[in-house]
Amino acid sequence: MATHYRLDEQHHLLSTHKTKFQLPKGHFLFTSESVSAGHPDKLCDFISDSILDACLDQDPNSKVACESACKNSLVMVFGEITTNAQVPYETIVREAIKNVGYDNISKGLDYKNASIIVSLDQQSREINQAVVGAKHEDEIGAGDQGLMIGYASDETPELMPLTHHLCNKLIARLQECREKEICPWMRPDAKVQVTVEYKRDGATFFPVRIHNVLISQQHDEKITHSEIQAELHSHVLKHVLPQQYVDEHTQYHLNPSKAFTVGGPYGDAGLTGRKIIVDTYGGWGGHGGGAFSGKDPTKVDRSAAYAARWVAKSLVASKLCKRVMIQVAYGIGISEPLSISVNSYGTHAEGYDDDDLSEIVQESFDLRPGVIIRELQLRRPIYAKTASGGHFGRTEPEFLWEKPRIIDIAAWKANKEQQKQQ
């Protein structure tokens, strides 16, 4: 039954409610999150991408759409794979579970005793004909319809949002502390969250301070809550958080649930593709909805999202804008994008607008799937690394979408002037 209040009671309830966030005018808070390789969803991403890499390692033209799911000691792998590779799927799955750190049921899963179910068919002939057919590599069609998003911001050297960049660095440090036994009490599952206070400055904004940090780290039964908090401060936070953004008012919520011994697939079911915001920009920019892991590069959900990040990062690195979102859309079997959109949020360089940036993108980048695959060398077995720590803002040399193309603005201006004279 609904609860009803008189007007005077409603006024009392409103007047006694404490305003939680009192910020200076023009300031706002934004939060991003990330999760470790041992989170059950990320474990599934890693399994799917490990299978993808095993296929590409032997047959770079493999067509892979591999999903995984896990709960307790059961791991399922299912989907469509067409490949000439000879892949021992069950062995790949067990090795992936082991690599993440699940080697004892007390941690949430044991790779030695897990039950593995594999249900994989070949890709539909109709899809294969639409995508590949007898086409030249550059002319292959998109593996499906959809829209993809790329984003970049000048608030960090990696041209990533600070909130999400810090989340990924925290996760990387937590995993390092566990793997190197700096903190031997750590188990594979972990989640982090970072809230940053920003200040608006006209069309743009910049980070002012870290408002709060949350870490939930799975642990064994031997360590106390106070010891966990102390070790997270000394071994993780001090190694990651930039001191210019930390002040006496920064809040820390370290294992706020107190006990976190039950984790991994024993604590929650996992599924491939369920951490798409963690994989990308932490809530900034937007998302087309398509997941990445377990998909070969003919699937534009993955390859075009990588290309859109490449384009966005190139625009910001070329000083054409301070931050930007790129949207690109495709249709199944069609090689040319159905649309390209550029939104610099009003941060474009003086003398340019978003129409100019759109022209620059279309003249500087060929966003047909086959060309993306060739230029970013996406048929290599490089994907298992992407399954944890985010797909963007990374420094690994094989992630070519993180190497911006510095755009020749003078050449674009000369070409535009020539077109006017014709």
Side-chain angles (χ1 to χ4, degrees):
M1 180 180 292
T3 302
H4 299 279
Y5 297 101
R6 298 192 315 270
L7 285 176
D8 59 334
E9 291 175 325
Q10 292 178 11
H11 175 75
H12 173 73
L13 289 170
L14 290 171
S15 63
T16 57
H17 177 71
K18 182 181 178 182
T19 302
K20 196 168 186 179
F21 306 111
Q22 294 181 335
L23 302 174
K25 188 173 178 61
H27 289 226
F28 67 95
L29 301 178
F30 198 94
T31 301
S32 297
E33 73 156 347
S34 191
V35 299
S36 71
H39 185 284
D41 292 334
K42 279 283 135 202
L43 172 63
C44 290
D45 285 347
F46 185 64
I47 290 170
S48 293
D49 274 337
S50 295
I51 289 173
L52 170 62
D53 280 356
C55 293
L56 293 176
D57 187 49
Q58 297 180 43
D59 178 8
N61 292 309
S62 297
K63 302 298 182 295
V64 179
C66 179
E67 313 289 343
S68 303
C70 62
K71 177 58 184 170
N72 295 334
S73 291
L74 175 65
V75 178
M76 297 180 287
V77 175
F78 47 96
E80 300 79 42
I81 296 180
T82 300
T83 183
N84 293 319
Q86 299 298 312
V87 178
Y89 294 113
E90 182 175 330
T91 300
I92 296 294
V93 172
R94 292 191 189 280
E95 191 66 22
I97 297 169
K98 179 182 178 182
N99 287 343
V100 167
Y102 285 115
D103 54 10
N104 190 296
I105 195 63
S106 65
K107 297 179 181 180
L109 185 63
D110 185 345
Y111 74 95
K112 300 182 294 294
N113 301 317
S115 299
I116 313 295
I117 297 175
V118 177
S119 180
L120 294 166
D121 293 328
Q122 290 199 339
Q123 183 187 60
S124 160
R125 291 184 180 180
E126 295 173 336
I127 294 176
N128 184 69
Q129 180 61 32
V131 173
V132 181
K135 300 171 185 175
H136 183 273
E137 175 73 11
D138 286 359
E139 297 296 333
I140 65 172
D144 202 351
Q145 70 176 48
L147 59 107
M148 297 82 213
I149 299 292
Y151 182 81
S153 169
D154 69 355
E155 62 198 86
T156 63
E158 295 80 6
L159 304 185
M160 285 288 286
L162 179 63
T163 53
H164 201 47
H165 178 64
L166 292 178
C167 284
N168 287 335
K169 290 192 73 173
L170 285 169
I171 285 295
R173 179 60 181 171
L174 287 170
Q175 293 183 176
E176 181 182 29
C177 288
R178 179 179 59 81
E179 290 169 0
K180 293 183 177 180
E181 297 189 340
I182 297 169
C183 300
W185 52 268
M186 288 183 173
R187 288 176 173 175
D189 201 351
K191 302 179 76 171
V192 303
Q193 193 168 280
V194 175
T195 300
V196 169
E197 180 180 334
Y198 286 85
K199 181 180 179 181
R200 295 184 181 89
D201 182 16
T204 188
F205 50 78
F206 56 89
V208 175
R209 57 183 293 272
I210 297 171
H211 185 274
N212 67 76
V213 179
L214 187 151
I215 298 177
S216 291
Q217 172 63 57
Q218 186 190 13
H219 58 89
D220 65 24
E221 295 85 354
K222 299 175 184 178
I223 192 166
T224 66
H225 185 243
S226 60
E227 289 172 332
I228 290 172
Q229 291 182 315
E231 295 212 7
L232 289 177
H233 267 290
S234 60
H235 296 303
V236 179
L237 296 172
K238 288 183 178 180
H239 287 257
V240 172
L241 301 185
Q243 288 306 298
Q244 68 266 33
Y245 295 127
V246 176
D247 60 28
E248 67 273 18
H249 300 297
T250 299
Q251 303 168 17
Y252 303 97
H253 307 281
L254 306 179
N255 275 35
S257 66
K258 299 294 193 295
F260 184 15
T261 59
V262 179
Y266 193 78
D268 290 290
L271 184 65
T272 299
R274 212 158 50 175
K275 288 291 176 284
I276 58 177
I277 302 303
V278 168
D279 283 343
T280 51
Y281 309 105
W284 294 93
H287 200 290
F292 300 157
S293 290
K295 296 178 181 178
D296 76 83
T298 65
K299 279 68 171 176
V300 284
D301 276 341
R302 183 168 221 158
S303 55
Y306 289 1
R309 162 64 177 172
W310 185 38
V311 172
K313 190 170 184 179
S314 297
L315 289 176
V316 176
S318 299
K319 307 297 184 184
L320 287 165
C321 52
K322 291 182 175 296
R323 69 184 186 109
V324 68
M325 183 181 76
I326 306 294
Q327 186 200 68
V328 60
Y330 294 88
I332 188 169
I334 302 171
S335 61
E336 293 286 350
L338 300 185
S339 70
I340 298 173
S341 174
V342 179
N343 180 4
S344 69
Y345 306 95
T347 69
H348 45 74
E350 188 175 353
Y352 299 89
D353 58 25
D354 285 356
D355 292 339
D356 294 325
L357 298 189
S358 182
E359 283 187 29
I360 290 169
V361 168
Q362 293 179 65
E363 290 186 17
S364 303
F365 296 90
D366 188 337
L367 294 177
R368 291 175 294 169
V371 179
I372 293 171
I373 291 169
R374 172 168 53 80
E375 293 199 338
L376 298 182
Q377 300 176 32
L378 295 180
R379 294 198 187 277
R380 296 169 296 155
I382 60 173
Y383 297 104
K385 284 185 179 180
T386 70
S388 177
H391 294 243
F392 307 125
R394 306 278 290 266
T395 58
E396 288 87 341
E398 57 267 43
F399 296 169
L400 298 184
W401 55 90
E402 288 299 317
K403 297 181 178 180
R405 173 181 290 173
I406 303 304
I407 297 165
D408 189 342
I409 303 302
W412 174 77
K413 285 182 175 179
N415 185 50
K416 189 173 183 179
E417 189 63 32
Q418 186 178 10
Q419 290 176 352
K420 286 181 180 179
Q421 295 172 0
Q422 290 176 351

